[in-house]
Amino acid sequence: MKIIKWMLITASLFFFPVMNIHAESQTVKGGMSKGKVANKNEVIYANLLADGNLTELYVVNSFELIEPGVIEDFGNYQKVKNLTDTSKISKENDQITLQAKEENYYYQGNLPNNFELPWRFTINYYLNNKKVEPENLAGKSGDIKMEIVVEANEGKRSSFSENYMLQISVPLNTEKFKDIKAENATVAQSGKDKQLTFTVMPEQEEVFTIEAETNHFETEGVQISALPASLAIDSPDTEELTSEFHSLTEAIGDLHHGVGDLAIGMNELSSGLRSLEGGSAQYKKGLNEISQSGNQLTEGSAQINNTLSLIKDEMKQASGVSGIGELENVTIDLPEVADNLEQAANDVDQVVVNYNEVKTQINRALEQIPDNQISDKEINKLYESNADKEVIDQLVETYRGTKAAQEVLLLAKDNLTDMVEPLSTFSQSMREAAGNLRAISSNIDESILQIDIDEGLKQLTSGVEEMVSNYNQFHQGLLAYTGVVSELSTSYSDIHEGISGSLSGAEQLTKGAGSLHNGTGQLHDATKDIPDEVTKEVDEMISQYDKSDYEPISFVSDKNNEKLELVQFVIQTDKIKIKDNKEDVKETKDKVGFFEKLLNLFK
């Protein structure tokens, strides 16, 4: 009986003040005016299992008041709890009525089980490459991998996943984990813990992986916070960047036009070299013909020279009547010598014709070779243009070879010009000599009976000796000339082969220049819009992450939006640790109710 008596007394001490307070609250409620709310914030707390499945979801609502008083809030809560004072909270369907006596008021509302977060979290664990359930992982050792998958929860308040940024933090004790690898994570050291932080931008889904070696797996769980990505991002000044791109695209355009001019020039060069190669072939053929006819010419000239020498010797031995007999023999030989001279003159005329034809071909070839001069400075500038070095080497080699061939052809043309006039004069001289020989032969026949034989023979012999001497000099000059022609014919074969090689290289370079021009055209087409595209991409990236115009909405009821200032999420997964028996005992003790504690006082 005494125990019961003391229990009643003690209960009265505890309960009567509460009853008085409750009565006073009702009185205050009845007398309180309607409060004015400046703004409201919602903090959504979510507890997850270690694998990411949702277990509990509640909201802490906070109000900043202009005037204390009765305020209303909305939310489909299972139960509500005053976190500010002991005043009663009235709940009718989704309407919550509060009695706020201070400028700041807080209460908690627990959401039903069918309420979901705007995101789905899946956390997978692997030990030594084998998937393990988190409850079987505590205290294990080996190579560990955690995989955190973040996805938008389709249709579940998508405004949050579209406008909120997530930060995911995983603390790992460095005494239990080493060789930690976490791609895309921000790593910070906090005491013994290494803090790994991942970021998920609005409208993004991510998969994060953590790998480490553990000697005793335990974690404090994964902590996740979500806030609006409401940073206002000013558009950067892209003028300097785009101006650089403009310079680049203009340079590429200039390069394209330059390569186009190069392709045209190479085509003209190939055409010129093709004509040059044809003219060179004609020139080479002409030289060979001249060389061959030169041999015939020198042979005929040698016969004439020998015949004249023979005549001179016979004339020296001729005297008196016997000299007349010798003169009769001379009149027989002189017409033959005259015929040989005329044949030699014909051969020289043909040589002149061939020379003129070769000169014509050389002129045509020279007309096809561009007369432009490219300096070493311009060549070095071409090397600095980042064009294909091998192609440039071939172009320079072809240019220099063409210029060398041009110089050879100009020299050959000048030589031919210098030869044509003397050869024409020489041909005319031989024809005159042939005519003179025929006249001499005829005059000898007519004058044999009319002349003073001895005196006439002396004069004739003297004239013949002078002619033989002059012809011998001509013959020696002819031999020197034909020798030069023969040497030129032999050496020009190498020049012609070089021209043919230059033509082959130039044709390949023309084809390469055409391909290069097509490539620079494609490059120019691909890059000419870069400045506008850069500006567009920057604007799109900024618009993707600039959520400064986002208006917050309530997580629990649209009726709260008007006074709402901020909604944020605090999410925590369960720890993975080996259970401690002492903690279990403590937890059991903590679960002892009020009446049990009251009874324990009297035991």
Side-chain angles (χ1 to χ4, degrees):
M1 288 294 294
K2 287 184 178 180
I3 293 175
I4 296 173
K5 178 180 177 182
W6 281 107
M7 288 177 62
L8 291 173
I9 294 172
T10 304
S12 65
L13 292 175
F14 278 95
F15 281 102
F16 282 118
V18 173
M19 292 173 64
N20 290 336
I21 292 172
H22 179 68
E24 183 181 352
S25 298
Q26 291 293 335
T27 303
V28 171
K29 179 181 177 182
M32 288 184 71
S33 60
K34 188 174 182 180
K36 291 183 179 180
V37 178
N39 59 68
K40 177 200 173 182
N41 294 327
E42 294 177 358
V43 181
I44 292 86
Y45 292 88
N47 292 326
L48 311 180
L49 294 175
D51 63 3
N53 283 315
L54 180 65
T55 59
E56 184 181 20
L57 196 60
Y58 62 92
V59 183
V60 173
N61 300 279
S62 63
F63 298 86
E64 184 178 344
L65 303 174
I66 300 173
E67 293 181 5
V70 177
I71 58 176
E72 291 181 348
D73 195 37
F74 298 89
N76 186 23
Y77 298 117
Q78 281 187 322
K79 63 178 181 178
V80 293
K81 180 179 181 181
N82 188 338
L83 301 177
T84 306
D85 53 34
T86 57
S87 62
K88 184 179 179 181
I89 298 176
S90 173
K91 176 180 181 302
E92 185 176 350
N93 296 323
D94 67 339
Q95 181 175 325
I96 313 297
T97 304
L98 313 166
Q99 302 174 36
K101 300 176 183 179
E102 305 292 338
E103 292 180 354
N104 293 290
Y105 186 89
Y106 306 88
Y107 85 94
Q108 174 180 322
N110 289 45
L111 293 166
N113 294 333
N114 61 354
F115 235 82
E116 296 183 28
L117 286 169
W119 305 272
R120 288 197 304 269
F121 301 97
T122 305
I123 306 175
N124 299 314
Y125 301 84
Y126 299 86
L127 180 64
N128 298 325
N129 294 323
K130 292 183 179 179
K131 191 172 183 180
V132 180
E133 296 300 324
E135 59 266 21
N136 299 327
L137 198 55
K140 297 295 176 63
S141 61
D143 293 329
I144 189 72
K145 181 172 82 168
M146 290 178 61
E147 185 180 71
I148 303 172
V149 182
V150 183
E151 300 172 293
N153 198 352
E154 298 295 337
K156 302 297 181 181
R157 300 165 183 82
S158 59
S159 173
F160 294 100
S161 60
E162 291 171 358
N163 293 280
Y164 274 55
M165 179 174 66
L166 296 176
Q167 277 200 330
I168 302 172
S169 298
V170 183
L172 295 179
N173 189 325
T174 53
E175 292 183 347
K176 299 176 181 178
F177 295 89
K178 65 179 183 179
D179 195 19
I180 300 171
K181 298 176 183 176
E183 188 176 357
N184 299 324
T186 301
V187 182
Q189 194 73 32
S190 176
K192 295 180 181 180
D193 288 344
K194 184 166 283 189
Q195 194 83 11
L196 309 177
T197 304
F198 303 93
T199 301
V200 181
M201 299 304 291
E203 301 183 85
Q204 301 297 311
E205 297 183 343
E206 300 285 356
V207 178
F208 302 113
T209 302
I210 302 170
E211 295 181 347
E213 184 180 340
T214 181
N215 56 22
H216 185 88
F217 187 92
E218 284 188 345
T219 69
E220 295 295 326
V222 178
Q223 299 145 17
I224 306 169
S225 63
L227 284 168
S230 56
L231 294 175
I233 304 175
D234 294 331
S235 297
D237 184 5
T238 58
E239 183 177 353
E240 183 176 355
L241 176 63
T242 53
S243 66
E244 293 294 332
F245 279 117
H246 275 300
S247 299
L248 173 63
T249 54
E250 287 174 3
I252 292 174
D254 293 340
L255 175 63
H256 176 58
H257 293 309
V259 172
D261 293 339
L262 172 65
I264 293 172
M266 285 305 304
N267 189 53
E268 292 176 352
L269 176 62
S270 296
S271 177
L273 285 174
R274 198 173 295 111
S275 299
L276 174 61
E277 199 266 348
S280 177
Q282 292 279 351
Y283 180 64
K284 179 173 176 289
K285 180 181 177 182
L287 281 178
N288 290 335
E289 291 176 351
I290 291 171
S291 179
Q292 292 172 3
S293 63
N295 293 334
Q296 298 173 359
L297 183 61
T298 54
E299 289 175 2
S301 178
Q303 291 177 3
I304 293 171
N305 194 39
N306 291 335
T307 301
L308 289 174
S309 296
L310 180 62
I311 292 172
K312 182 189 75 170
D313 292 340
E314 290 178 352
M315 292 292 293
K316 282 182 179 181
Q317 296 173 5
S319 64
V321 176
S322 63
I324 294 174
E326 293 297 334
L327 285 175
E328 290 177 348
N329 293 331
V330 169
T331 58
I332 296 172
D333 294 332
L334 287 179
E336 183 179 351
V337 173
D339 291 340
N340 288 334
L341 284 173
E342 287 182 343
Q343 182 59 46
N346 291 335
D347 291 339
V348 171
D349 288 342
Q350 185 60 46
V351 169
V352 171
V353 170
N354 291 340
Y355 274 15
N356 287 328
E357 177 63 26
V358 170
K359 279 179 60 180
T360 301
Q361 293 296 333
I362 289 175
N363 286 331
R364 289 176 182 170
L366 288 172
E367 288 173 359
Q368 296 296 325
I369 298 177
D371 202 30
N372 299 328
Q373 297 294 327
I374 301 176
S375 65
D376 291 340
K377 183 179 180 180
E378 291 172 320
I379 291 174
N380 291 334
K381 190 174 181 181
L382 185 60
Y383 276 112
E384 294 170 359
S385 68
N386 294 326
D388 191 328
K389 182 177 180 299
E390 185 177 349
V391 173
I392 297 175
D393 288 341
Q394 292 176 347
L395 287 172
V396 172
E397 182 181 355
T398 301
Y399 166 74
R400 288 173 176 165
T402 303
K403 285 299 177 184
Q406 186 183 41
E407 291 176 2
V408 171
L409 289 175
L410 288 170
L411 180 60
K413 176 185 173 183
D414 292 340
N415 289 336
L416 288 175
T417 301
D418 292 340
M419 289 179 181
V420 166
E421 186 175 352
L423 285 175
S424 298
T425 303
F426 177 58
S427 172
Q428 182 64 30
S429 298
M430 283 193 293
R431 292 186 190 281
E432 291 176 357
N436 291 334
L437 287 176
R438 286 195 173 91
I440 289 172
S441 176
S442 176
N443 290 335
I444 288 174
D445 288 337
E446 294 177 359
S447 304
I448 284 177
L449 299 176
Q450 302 176 8
I451 63 172
D452 182 342
I453 295 175
D454 290 329
E455 184 63 28
L457 283 174
K458 286 180 182 180
Q459 293 178 359
L460 180 60
T461 300
S462 176
V464 170
E465 285 178 350
E466 184 179 356
M467 185 176 71
V468 169
S469 176
N470 292 336
Y471 191 85
N472 186 58
Q473 291 179 6
F474 163 76
H475 180 67
Q476 294 302 320
L478 183 62
L479 288 176
Y481 158 72
T482 54
V484 171
V485 170
S486 177
E487 184 179 349
L488 179 61
S489 175
T490 301
S491 61
Y492 191 79
S493 295
D494 296 334
I495 295 175
H496 179 69
E497 288 180 4
I499 292 173
S500 297
S502 296
L503 173 61
S504 176
E507 288 177 340
Q508 291 179 1
L509 288 175
T510 300
K511 183 178 180 181
S515 300
L516 181 61
H517 186 239
N518 291 335
T520 54
Q522 293 174 2
L523 177 62
H524 183 247
D525 290 340
T527 57
K528 64 182 179 180
D529 296 327
I530 282 181
D532 295 335
E533 290 175 358
V534 166
T535 302
K536 182 180 178 181
E537 283 293 327
V538 169
D539 291 343
E540 288 180 355
M541 290 175 64
I542 290 174
S543 65
Q544 182 178 359
Y545 296 114
D546 185 358
K547 305 294 183 180
S548 57
D549 59 347
Y550 171 68
E551 295 290 338
I553 62 171
S554 172
F555 182 68
V556 291
S557 175
D558 293 339
K559 299 175 183 178
N560 299 328
N561 290 346
E562 183 178 350
K563 54 193 174 184
L564 193 66
E565 182 178 63
L566 176 66
V567 176
Q568 60 183 355
F569 295 79
V570 177
I571 304 167
Q572 172 76 49
T573 70
D574 286 345
K575 301 177 181 180
I576 300 179
K577 288 191 174 184
I578 295 177
K579 291 184 179 181
D580 190 339
N581 291 332
K582 292 182 180 179
E583 290 184 3
D584 291 344
V585 172
K586 182 180 177 182
E587 188 175 330
T588 303
K589 289 181 179 180
D590 290 341
K591 289 183 179 179
V592 176
F594 171 76
F595 286 104
E596 285 82 358
K597 290 180 180 180
L598 185 61
L599 288 172
N600 287 337
L601 292 175
F602 302 98
K603 288 182 180 179

